[in-house]
Amino acid sequence: MEAHQHSPDSSSEECTVLEAPPSKNTCPQHAGKVADLYCSACECALCEDCVSDHEDHPQVPLSQALEQHRTRLQERLGAVQGRLPQISDALSFVKEILQQLTSQRASIEEDIQSSFEDLHKQLDVRKSVLLMELEVTYGLKQKVLQAQIDSLVRGEGDITATCSQTEEALAGEACVANLQVERELEEKLMELAGLRFPCQPQENDQLDLVMETDGLRKSIHNLGTIVTTSAVASQSEAMGTGLEQCIVGHPASVTIVTRDKSGGACKSGNAILSAEVFTPDGSIVDGEIVDHKNGTYEFVYTVPKEGHFSLALRLYDQHIKGSPFKLTITRASEAELDVSPSTTTATNSAANATPSTGSSEGAKRRGKSPGQKKKGSKRASSALGTPRRKTQNPIEDDLIFKIGTKGRNKGEFTNLQGVAASSTGRILIADSNNQCVQIFSNEGEFKSRFGVRGRSPGQLQRPTGVAVHPCGDIIIADYDNKWVSIFTCEGKYKAKLGSGRLMGPKGVSVDQKGHVIVVDNKACTVFIFQLTGKLITKFGSRGNGDKQFAGPHFAAVNHNNEIIITDFHNHSVKVFTPEGELVLKFGSKGEGNGQFNAPTGVAVDVNGNIIVADWGNSRIQVFDGSGSFLSYINTSADPLYGPQGLALTSDGHVVVADSGNHCFKVYRYLQ
């Protein structure tokens, strides 16, 4: 057998051929060719076969071109990544606005519900009054007519009976035996013939109802307005001489034009706009904003001294275009010599530090406008948002003056609630739906305001109660935020207390030991805290017992350090020891002296007399320390409508929040 021989390249298995991987720099036009150049004009890689087609174009080594591309790509990556914090901040801010918008919707919904529930109650009350009046009127008329009917029926019966007896006698035999009976019948007939019967109706049947509902229906049809605008700060702008020529002691005017997200001019007013002119040290210059109701606003201010100032214009808490502006204020004599832009300038200074928002004269207006229309202000006034001038009382009663109307500006209110008075001659008003506290002198002169709407510490969502601590701190009960905020006398936030414990704080007061007394309206409980926030004690629960409450409102403290609470739905006032033991209770539901229809504000004078705002009866009553009725405060000339908080000023007058009339009033009070 021949031996089988294998060729050198043969194998029992299939031979695998390994090929080198293709180059990453292979020319895209010529397969198998390596590109080592780059045409900058055509932006493509070149191999040796491509060079002739690009000989007139600038060429660089491919490695250099690739490195340059990588560098540019890295720069663009960095630039885009650098936008992430900005987007993240914007996302958080827009989410916060949405949250606040949702909160505002819920708050307005609550206001609508409560307003219409109140209207339903008022209608039910009026219906009950009319039905009662109908029953009383009917009863009086029915009584007269029924008495007349009874008299006629008796007369008819007597005549019928006597006539029947007489006819029987006449039908019988005439004899001496019947003579006496016939004489008696004759006398009876003579008597009946002489009687005067009430044959003419002594009453009429008129019972008519006059219901003039057309005007009411029209009012209901137009009741309430949801107020908003589409204005955004990033598109809105300012212009005017107030950004060009600023002279000491002369009014300067700036016009603000609000625009929507697309830059289109807004055509309606009511935007929440704030303006601040401030020095580098943070002091504020007063001014006035006028809403022209057409999407434009005018800010008029007067600077009392020369120097460098900044003007911050904010729309919904955000700077408009170019804000804050840098202002250089000169004296009139210098302006007469040279009024060129080099002398008085206003330049964009967005990088400048923003002013302290703690100053209440910064006039940040917050919150919703449930249906109100903000009135335009006169330019001559010197207040941002123009407080209405103090109205003197033309008719003789106890009213000295009143301040306010419905709106969002200084000296304007929307659902004012709590009132406090300081020993330094200040009146503090908790402006609930404007989310701020406004401060006035005892004479009614506007001093400052502070408050930023929100649900974070230091912000106000629904301030209802206000008190002044002996150390000067301002204590505010925030019903919706469910805590009590503490601010300095300048309006700078310090701390909060009661968070996690309170359900709906309404009124606050301070006892003689400096403890903070909080009336929790929802929990029907009174809490006593140290200023540090430590809970000392609490008392009360929901009910109508002596130590129970039904919607308690406000508190005051007498010279014995006893706590006086107005028990709203129980229509009474209760006095407790600091430990929560009942000392005194007085009042019942009604309209008489010493009776209440839902008491609210309460204060104590130096003699221990207790002054109470009677909400449902729209009056103020005065009691002695034992709860005996003494007198009313005369409010007849300009009647109250749903009074809330009440306090005694340092000069001995009574100040009350006339909530339904959107103002506060100061009355004479003889202690």
Side-chain angles (χ1 to χ4, degrees):
M1 177 183 291
E2 275 188 60
H4 180 72
Q5 294 187 0
H6 298 276
S7 63
D9 59 348
S10 66
S11 171
S12 61
E13 297 181 1
E14 184 180 354
C15 179
T16 299
V17 178
L18 297 177
E19 298 181 356
S23 172
K24 293 181 180 179
N25 292 334
T26 302
C27 177
Q29 300 297 328
H30 303 92
K33 297 289 185 177
V34 176
D36 54 4
L37 293 174
Y38 183 82
C39 177
S40 301
C42 301
E43 296 184 342
C44 63
L46 306 177
C47 67
E48 59 185 10
D49 293 345
C50 299
V51 172
S52 59
D53 297 331
H54 298 266
E55 59 183 357
D56 295 332
H57 297 171
Q59 301 174 11
V60 296
L62 180 61
S63 59
Q64 178 182 342
L66 293 174
E67 185 63 30
Q68 290 174 346
H69 273 277
R70 282 296 181 94
T71 301
R72 286 197 300 271
L73 185 61
Q74 187 65 43
E75 290 174 352
R76 284 175 171 75
L77 174 63
V80 173
Q81 287 178 332
R83 299 196 63 190
L84 287 176
Q86 177 188 7
I87 294 174
S88 177
D89 291 344
L91 181 62
S92 299
F93 189 51
V94 174
K95 284 183 176 179
E96 181 183 352
I97 292 175
L98 177 59
Q99 181 182 0
Q100 291 177 347
L101 178 67
T102 304
S103 173
Q104 284 295 92
R105 182 195 66 176
S107 181
I108 292 175
E109 183 178 5
E110 180 183 340
D111 285 348
I112 292 173
Q113 293 285 0
S114 63
S115 296
F116 278 85
E117 285 173 7
D118 183 61
L119 288 174
H120 278 298
K121 290 178 183 177
Q122 295 293 331
L123 287 172
D124 287 341
V125 168
R126 184 57 186 162
K127 181 177 74 173
S128 299
V129 169
L130 283 174
L131 290 173
M132 184 180 298
E133 186 179 338
L134 174 64
E135 287 302 309
V136 170
T137 305
Y138 167 78
L140 292 173
K141 285 177 169 284
Q142 184 267 345
K143 185 177 180 179
V144 171
L145 292 172
Q146 188 62 52
Q148 184 178 5
I149 289 172
D150 293 343
S151 176
L152 291 172
V153 168
R154 284 193 302 270
E156 182 184 37
D158 290 345
I159 291 175
T160 301
T162 303
C163 289
S164 296
Q165 292 174 4
T166 303
E167 288 173 350
E168 289 177 4
L170 291 174
E173 182 180 358
C175 62
V176 174
N178 295 332
L179 184 60
Q180 182 61 32
V181 173
E182 290 177 359
R183 285 177 178 172
E184 291 176 356
L185 288 173
E186 183 180 7
E187 291 177 358
K188 183 69 173 176
L189 288 171
M190 291 175 63
E191 179 185 351
L192 289 173
L195 284 178
R196 295 175 62 87
F197 291 103
C199 294
Q200 297 301 318
Q202 296 179 345
E203 250 301 353
N204 58 61
D205 62 353
Q206 183 183 11
L207 270 180
D208 294 326
L209 174 65
V210 177
M211 291 280 283
E212 298 178 357
T213 59
D214 290 344
L216 179 61
R217 291 177 187 277
K218 184 176 180 180
S219 297
I220 292 175
H221 180 75
N222 297 317
L223 181 63
T225 303
I226 303 301
V227 177
T228 188
T229 76
S230 56
V232 295
S234 60
Q235 297 291 340
S236 300
E237 53 194 351
M239 60 194 71
T241 57
L243 298 179
E244 299 169 358
Q245 295 182 358
C246 309
I247 301 173
V248 173
H250 289 246
S253 174
V254 177
T255 299
I256 299 98
V257 179
T258 56
R259 300 185 183 279
D260 60 24
K261 64 179 181 180
S262 302
C266 296
K267 302 298 184 183
S268 62
N270 297 300
I272 302 178
L273 184 70
S274 67
E276 295 172 320
V277 179
F278 55 96
T279 61
D281 62 7
S283 61
I284 305 295
V285 174
D286 213 352
E288 167 201 356
I289 291 179
V290 179
D291 184 351
H292 294 304
K293 302 299 181 183
N294 59 1
T296 67
Y297 304 78
E298 188 175 7
F299 175 55
V300 182
Y301 65 95
T302 303
V303 181
K305 60 182 180 180
E306 61 183 331
H308 296 287
F309 291 76
S310 293
L311 168 61
L313 296 172
R314 292 185 180 88
L315 183 66
Y316 300 107
D317 279 343
Q318 302 169 59
H319 285 285
I320 69 169
K321 281 183 179 180
S323 176
F325 302 91
K326 183 183 293 183
L327 308 176
T328 301
I329 313 300
T330 63
R331 293 195 176 277
S333 57
E334 297 178 10
E336 290 170 358
L337 295 173
D338 183 6
V339 293
S340 66
S342 62
T343 303
T344 56
T345 60
T347 58
N348 185 344
S349 181
N352 283 2
T354 57
S356 167
T357 57
S359 171
S360 55
E361 290 199 35
K364 290 196 168 108
R365 296 188 294 282
R366 304 287 182 269
K368 63 183 180 297
S369 302
Q372 82 269 25
K373 293 186 178 181
K374 187 170 57 180
K375 297 182 179 179
S377 306
K378 295 182 179 180
R379 290 184 53 180
S381 175
S382 62
L384 174 55
T386 314
R388 295 298 182 265
R389 291 193 180 275
K390 167 167 90 167
T391 304
Q392 300 294 340
N393 182 24
I395 304 175
E396 188 61 34
D397 69 356
D398 292 331
L399 179 64
I400 302 173
F401 64 83
K402 66 177 181 179
I403 298 289
T405 185
K406 191 172 185 179
R408 292 189 174 188
N409 294 326
K410 287 182 178 181
E412 296 178 343
F413 307 98
T414 306
N415 191 23
L416 65 167
Q417 299 263 317
V419 176
S422 73
S423 59
T424 57
R426 295 289 184 264
I427 296 172
L428 295 85
I429 306 293
D431 192 359
S432 182
N433 287 14
N434 286 334
Q435 289 88 12
C436 71
V437 170
Q438 300 199 44
I439 304 176
F440 300 80
S441 70
N442 281 352
E443 295 71 36
E445 180 185 357
F446 178 85
K447 291 298 182 181
S448 61
R449 67 182 273 175
F450 65 89
V452 176
R453 177 174 58 88
R455 296 188 178 273
S456 300
Q459 297 178 320
L460 301 176
Q461 189 63 25
R462 191 177 173 190
T464 52
V466 60
V468 180
H469 195 273
C471 70
D473 286 344
I474 299 172
I475 301 166
I476 302 172
D478 195 329
Y479 192 90
D480 281 357
N481 278 333
K482 302 178 182 179
W483 63 54
V484 172
S485 295
I486 301 173
F487 294 81
T488 67
C489 58
E490 293 85 15
K492 296 185 183 299
Y493 175 70
K494 291 181 67 175
K496 65 176 181 178
L497 56 85
S499 181
R501 295 181 183 271
L502 302 174
M503 295 175 60
K506 172 77 174 183
V508 286
S509 187
V510 180
D511 69 10
Q512 294 177 2
K513 297 180 180 179
H515 297 152
V516 179
I517 299 163
V518 183
V519 182
D520 194 326
N521 177 267
K522 276 191 177 180
C524 294
T525 302
V526 176
F527 292 81
I528 303 178
F529 295 92
Q530 292 180 353
L531 197 59
T532 59
K534 180 181 179 181
L535 178 66
I536 298 174
T537 188
K538 64 177 182 177
F539 59 87
S541 60
R542 185 179 301 277
N544 56 13
D546 287 346
K547 295 184 181 181
Q548 293 181 310
F549 304 104
H553 266 51
F554 293 100
V557 178
N558 64 19
H559 60 277
N560 294 325
N561 206 35
E562 294 167 337
I563 303 168
I564 305 168
I565 306 293
T566 51
D567 196 354
F568 190 83
H569 293 295
N570 284 331
H571 311 287
S572 62
V573 174
K574 298 176 180 178
V575 183
F576 297 88
T577 67
E579 294 74 33
E581 295 299 320
L582 182 70
V583 176
L584 173 67
K585 172 187 174 184
F586 61 91
S588 61
K589 186 175 183 180
E591 299 178 357
N593 294 349
Q595 292 186 306
F596 301 109
N597 183 4
T600 47
V602 61
V604 182
D605 69 15
V606 294
N607 297 317
N609 297 321
I610 302 170
I611 309 163
V612 183
D614 189 355
W615 181 82
N617 290 324
S618 290
R619 63 187 180 182
I620 302 173
Q621 301 191 66
V622 183
F623 302 82
D624 66 16
S626 63
S628 298
F629 173 80
L630 294 178
S631 65
Y632 298 103
I633 290 179
N634 189 350
T635 63
S636 58
D638 190 0
L640 298 169
Y641 181 47
Q644 287 269 355
L646 181 148
L648 270 171
T649 64
S650 59
D651 54 357
H653 299 312
V654 170
V655 55
V656 62
D658 191 356
S659 186
N661 289 320
H662 308 287
C663 66
F664 72 86
K665 295 175 178 176
V666 176
Y667 292 94
R668 297 180 188 88
Y669 178 68
L670 299 177
Q671 301 190 37

